[in-house]
Amino acid sequence: MRTVYVAGVGSTTFGRHPDRSLRHLGWEACRDAIADAGIAPSALAAGYCGNALAPAIQGETSVGQNVFWEVGLAGLPVINVENACASGSTALHQGWMAVAGGFHDAVIVVGVEKAVMPKGMPLNVGAGEMETQLGDIFPGFFAMMAQRHALSFGTTREQMAKVAVKNRANGMLNPLVQFKKTVTVEEVLASPMIADPITLNSCCANADGAAAAILCDEATARRLGRAKVRIAASVLRSGDYDSERDLAIWDSEAKAARLAYALAGLGPEDLDLVELHDAFSICEIVHCEGLGLCKPGEGGRLLDEGATALGGRIPVNPSGGLLAKGHPIGASGVGQIAEIAWQLRGRAGPRQIAGARVGLAQMMGGAKERDARAIALHILVAD
Amino acid sequence: MSEAPSTPRPLQNGLYAWSEGAPVPAALLGSLCPSCAKKAFPRRPQCPACGAAMQDQPLTGAGTIYSSTTVRVPSPVGLKPPYAYGLVDLDQGPRIHALFTGAAVENFVPGSRVELVFEGVRPGGDIVAHKFRPRAAGAAS
């Protein structure tokens, strides 16, 4: 297997882009990633596009061809990837496999989404599923996880609220985020209840946006002068679908994490930053435990101690995460890679983590049998 | 609209055991593994634990709430807030995703005893689904 580098990254602002098409958002991210890598577009041998909702919302299919056409890329294999919230991360995994396996020397990966819904149009994803027809909504599933976490470990609503407080504060330092406004614990708890105990400010917002990355082998990276950010692990797995599992502990995520750490030859103690899927505030607490940043049940305490804040022991979501950035579903996983690449290159501006060398990106996609449909982990290392 | 709008239909075909002409289903239609005794709902053809072909198994009766939540916003499928749903460990297994009914939403907390019922799930009531209501006081267990 060959070593793979992230030679360049790009990202649009996340938020409301009512006047821009999917392809135009994707074009901007790709253009910036190509420029960042300093690579000739003709050297890109394949394109991977993560998108989750365009067939349902915009009536567009095979979005990758639209985006890469806008960038002027033709005559190459284009692979469209749908894996719910992990669509972009899965596209990245596919691109990594192609380069690591020696099939291509350089590829482009883009995640793109327009998830801000037209007024009055409900987001009705998974409408064919029994749970959805019984009124299940995504916050409800995580509400039950929060309930079980509180019962098992005593995790409080205040600790959950602190996730939103921290990530919104981090977002103040990131020009790409949707919400440039801090919140307090009191404001998070007093915001409208969505599904007990999850309040409005405990939820990320749907967003429009795109992010892109150029992946290449070591020889190409050296030629470009970009052999700096190495993919030390790329892991993708489905859930275990144990429908009677303990909802307070995410075992399938812990298994994915053990595999990622083994591939990278690193452990959670080696991480300098983590970008993870904070769709709801409880998610960050559960994922910190799943990724081994603390023991099971201690995720709430990380917030109390400031361990995951900028300047803490292990900063989590220094970009502001989805709670500040917003969530352009198929783009979010690639957006995490952009943030980590900037951090490892010392280019993260006022939110820069001094001397950051190792970063982990975590995304999950969908829900099935009380588990995730997709768990995607990437560990990036500065060489 | 030649069909009578009040004719109840199941939420999805194949979810329930339903006698011809009965107003509501008799039971959930689940699966039982003859080899390792694992149960599943909705039914599935092959045992996820051991791979054996599963057999149809009607599931009914009482259970205990494992987890629950109350939704306070309008549902995309037209349910009126607030409504409560959750996961129920059926006494005869397995764990069932269901709406709660028959009491204020605050009553449905982990550990509470509930029993299976079938009733209308949307305004109009022509679609019937499984729900759990509080176990009647004095009922065995």
Side-chain angles (χ1 to χ4, degrees):
Chain A
M1 217 160 58
R2 303 195 298 177
T3 302
V4 180
Y5 285 87
V6 179
V9 294
S11 177
T12 68
T13 57
F14 287 5
R16 290 174 176 275
H17 293 290
D19 301 326
R20 297 180 63 186
S21 62
L22 279 167
R23 66 195 69 177
H24 194 263
L25 288 166
W27 162 78
E28 180 188 324
C30 290
R31 177 203 64 185
D32 291 352
I34 290 168
D36 190 37
I39 195 167
S42 58
L44 297 171
Y48 297 81
C49 178
N51 170 270
L53 300 175
I57 301 181
Q58 285 84 26
E60 271 189 54
T61 55
S62 306
V63 172
Q65 279 83 346
N66 286 346
V67 169
F68 296 133
W69 170 79
E70 199 93 358
V71 185
L73 297 176
L76 74 172
V78 171
I79 296 93
N80 291 285
V81 177
E82 188 273 303
N83 230 355
C85 297
S87 296
S89 308
T90 304
L92 193 83
H93 178 72
Q94 295 298 305
W96 168 81
M97 288 208 330
V99 177
F103 293 94
H104 300 302
D105 291 338
V107 303
I108 184 166
V109 177
V110 66
V112 60
E113 201 78 66
K114 278 175 68 80
V116 177
M117 303 296 293
K119 222 179 165 64
M121 183 177 166
L123 185 56
N124 204 4
V125 179
E129 302 288 342
M130 179 192 78
E131 289 85 350
T132 309
Q133 294 173 357
L134 289 173
D136 187 27
I137 55 176
F138 259 105
F141 173 65
F142 288 99
M144 291 197 284
M145 198 170 286
Q147 180 191 53
R148 293 305 316 188
H149 208 273
L151 283 171
S152 293
F153 304 121
T155 304
T156 65
R157 294 181 182 215
E158 286 72 19
Q159 288 172 324
M160 295 182 213
K162 285 178 183 176
V163 174
V165 172
K166 168 180 72 69
N167 292 355
R168 287 286 201 94
N170 291 352
M172 298 297 286
L173 306 174
N174 186 349
L176 298 178
V177 306
Q178 181 170 17
F179 296 107
K180 268 225 178 305
K181 188 176 179 302
T182 57
V183 288
T184 64
V185 167
E186 294 71 28
E187 285 167 340
V188 173
L189 294 177
S191 64
M193 188 63 78
I194 305 296
D196 301 355
I198 292 182
T199 62
L200 182 63
N201 282 341
S202 317
C203 305
C204 72
N206 292 338
D208 306 333
I214 306 295
L215 309 185
C216 63
D217 70 321
E218 184 167 1
T220 306
R222 295 208 178 284
R223 199 156 54 242
L224 296 169
R226 300 291 193 279
K228 173 74 176 167
V229 179
R230 174 167 52 88
I231 300 180
S234 177
V235 167
L236 177 69
R237 84 194 292 277
S238 65
D240 289 327
Y241 310 137
D242 172 8
S243 63
E244 272 110 61
R245 78 179 180 91
D246 180 353
L247 280 187
I249 293 171
W250 218 324
D251 194 44
S252 55
E253 176 174 39
K255 288 177 187 168
R258 283 196 290 275
L259 176 57
Y261 292 133
L263 287 170
L266 298 166
E269 66 282 0
D270 297 310
L271 302 176
D272 297 308
L273 73 143
V274 173
E275 285 281 310
L276 61 74
H277 190 175
D278 57 333
F280 307 99
S281 53
I282 180 64
C283 300
E284 182 169 306
I285 291 173
V286 173
H287 295 327
C288 282
E289 297 171 12
L291 296 172
L293 307 187
C294 61
K295 293 196 183 89
E298 293 185 353
R301 200 194 299 172
L302 290 179
L303 278 307
D304 291 337
E305 293 168 350
T308 49
L310 275 172
R313 170 169 70 80
I314 170 65
V316 173
N317 287 321
S319 70
L322 306 184
L323 285 166
K325 292 174 80 175
H327 190 10
I329 317 292
S332 295
V334 186
Q336 293 177 329
I337 297 302
E339 173 69 15
I340 294 175
W342 288 323
Q343 288 282 355
L344 299 191
R345 288 155 61 188
R347 287 181 42 187
R351 62 186 189 285
Q352 179 66 45
I353 296 156
R357 249 202 88 248
V358 183
L360 182 147
Q362 177 270 3
M363 281 296 286
M364 282 188 173
K368 183 172 182 62
E369 290 290 298
R370 351 296 184 212
D371 208 339
R373 287 171 188 252
I375 304 162
L377 301 179
H378 287 86
I379 297 176
L380 305 188
V381 174
D383 274 354
Chain B
M1 302 297 279
S2 57
E3 283 176 291
S6 59
T7 306
R9 291 180 288 129
L11 188 75
Q12 292 181 354
N13 288 331
L15 274 187
Y16 308 132
W18 204 333
S19 310
E20 184 90 21
V24 294
L28 303 170
L29 185 52
S31 298
L32 170 68
C33 176
S35 174
C36 75
K38 185 165 180 69
K39 287 178 179 166
F41 173 80
R43 66 180 166 168
R44 49 196 302 174
Q46 188 181 330
C47 178
C50 75
M54 293 190 98
Q55 299 168 348
D56 285 354
Q57 171 72 40
L59 301 166
T60 186
T64 304
I65 296 176
Y66 172 73
S67 61
S68 59
T69 187
T70 298
V71 177
R72 307 279 178 180
V73 293
S75 138
V77 295
L79 303 180
K80 226 179 117 205
Y83 63 91
Y85 69 89
L87 301 172
V88 173
D89 288 326
L90 216 51
D91 291 348
Q92 55 180 264
R95 186 170 289 173
I96 309 287
H97 181 108
L99 285 159
F100 295 124
T101 188
V105 292
E106 292 75 22
N107 290 282
F108 300 101
V109 296
S112 299
R113 294 288 290 162
V114 289
E115 61 189 14
L116 184 67
V117 292
F118 292 92
E119 60 177 47
V121 74
R122 313 248 174 98
D126 59 325
I127 295 178
V128 168
H130 63 287
K131 299 183 186 180
F132 285 92
R133 70 181 174 206
R135 182 84 162 134
S141 71

